[in-house]
Amino acid sequence: LFKGSEQEMKWIVSVAAAALASVLACVFSQPGDMILTETYKGKTPGSFNQVCRNIMERGGFSEFFVGTQARLVHVGGIITQQLV
């Protein structure tokens, strides 16, 4: 299947594993960052439930993932480099 050296294969596996880990980290931490950003965006932070309700009212569940693409490019690249 792969016709490179063992060293090349190890490098490819390391990069692929790091990339997968960074994607998963970005996707699973995005809702928490959205809640944190929303909490401190106003002058007076609301309760956790109120902040989540505001996000849901604004755009439903998908609203928690607004900005994920930019996060994947920026944070995902940094995490991948650190893990390799």
Side-chain angles (χ1 to χ4, degrees):
L1 184 70
F2 180 74
K3 299 194 188 240
S5 71
E6 185 178 331
Q7 191 65 23
E8 288 174 329
M9 177 58 98
K10 287 180 181 180
W11 186 82
I12 290 170
V13 169
S14 293
V15 171
L20 177 62
S22 69
V23 167
L24 292 174
C26 286
V27 170
F28 285 109
S29 64
Q30 178 65 26
D33 280 349
M34 184 62 149
I35 293 167
L36 188 64
T37 299
E38 186 71 20
T39 299
Y40 293 105
K41 191 162 64 171
K43 295 185 187 226
T44 56
S47 70
F48 176 79
N49 290 336
Q50 184 59 47
V51 169
C52 290
R53 198 173 305 120
N54 290 344
I55 294 170
M56 288 292 286
E57 288 172 358
R58 198 168 55 234
F61 184 72
S62 64
E63 190 71 15
F64 285 96
F65 294 93
V66 168
T68 302
Q69 291 175 336
R71 182 182 175 90
L72 284 169
V73 171
H74 180 250
V75 177
I78 293 169
I79 293 172
T80 301
Q81 288 178 350
Q82 289 175 339
L83 291 175
V84 172

